[in-house]
């Protein structure tokens, strides 16, 4: 591949995304971040400046991605870029399993050892993190985050901007609303309404 990608977000999540881009054979992987001060000096990819610098260099890149773990900030940055009419991609780790019978929107990351099974639908800007399992016919709406080691049984719905905490399990057919935060290691047996903080 002879393409160049610009990625917003040079934090810990960005490191993982950068490596997935590397495994997807991008020729150049450049990062931009508005919080330049305090960034890891050993960040493994070039950090070329803030988002204003990116705007002045849009023509230099083929593809774009937002690598920010916070759902609302990821939403804001991605929508800002969408207004600039850039080309978003999905970054999918080669050691993940994504069914050809699933449906993916754009700006999605799917990390190592994650599984997305037939009939599942993954919304815009969603994160399917390391070793997460999305079973058949699940619906993960826009800008939701499924944290490492989560297990979603069949026909689960996860609303927009919702975070499922690390190692959580969700039983079949459960509906989780929008802007919900679910604590680490939770087991979800019942539906959860919008704007809820759920702790096991």
């Amino acid at each position: 591949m002879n393409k160049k990608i610009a990625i917003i977000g040079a934090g810990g999540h960005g490191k993982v995304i950068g490596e997935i881009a590397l495994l997807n054979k991008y020729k150049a992987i450049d990062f931009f971040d508005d919080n330049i001060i305090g960034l890891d000096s050993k960040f493994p990819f070039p950090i070329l400046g803030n988002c204003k610098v990116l705007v002045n260099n849009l023509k230099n890149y083929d593809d774009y991605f937002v690598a920010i773990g916070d759902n609302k900030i990821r939403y804001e940055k991605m929508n800002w870029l969408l207004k600039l009419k850039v080309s978003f991609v999905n970054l999918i780790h080669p050691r993940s399993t994504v069914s050809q019978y699933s449906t993916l929107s754009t700006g999605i990351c799917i990390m190592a050892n994650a599984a997305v099974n037939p009939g599942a639908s993954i919304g815009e800007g969603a994160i399917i993190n390391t070793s997460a399992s999305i079973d058949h016919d699940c619906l993960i709406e826009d800008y939701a985050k499924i944290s490492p080691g989560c297990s979603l049984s069949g026909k689960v719905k996860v609303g927009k901007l919702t975070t499922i905490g690390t190692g959580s399990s969700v039983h079949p057919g459960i509906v989780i609303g929008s802007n919900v935060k679910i604590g680490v290691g939770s087991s979800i047996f019942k539906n959860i309404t919008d704007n809820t903080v759920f702790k096991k």
Side-chain angles (χ1 to χ4, degrees), residues 10-23:
H13 183 67
K15 289 180 185 178
V16 182
I17 295 300
E19 184 172 52
I20 295 173
L22 189 64
L23 292 169

Side-chain angles (χ1 to χ4, degrees), residues 93-171:
H93 198 289
R95 290 199 303 274
S96 64
T97 301
V98 180
S99 171
Q100 63 179 317
Y101 303 111
S102 62
T103 302
L104 305 183
S105 186
T106 189
I108 297 164
C109 72
I110 300 178
M111 297 187 179
N113 300 315
V116 178
N117 283 335
S121 180
I122 312 297
E124 183 176 274
I127 296 172
I128 310 299
N129 220 308
T130 308
S131 298
S133 175
I134 311 299
D135 217 321
H136 67 89
D137 303 305
C138 285
L139 172 60
I140 311 301
E141 292 193 337
D142 297 348
Y143 304 99
K145 177 168 63 177
I146 312 301
S147 299
C150 288
S151 179
L152 276 59
S153 298
K155 297 185 177 180
V156 167
K157 178 182 177 182
V158 177
K160 294 179 180 179
L161 299 166
T162 285
T163 296
I164 311 293
T166 299
S168 294
S169 59
V170 186
H171 287 243

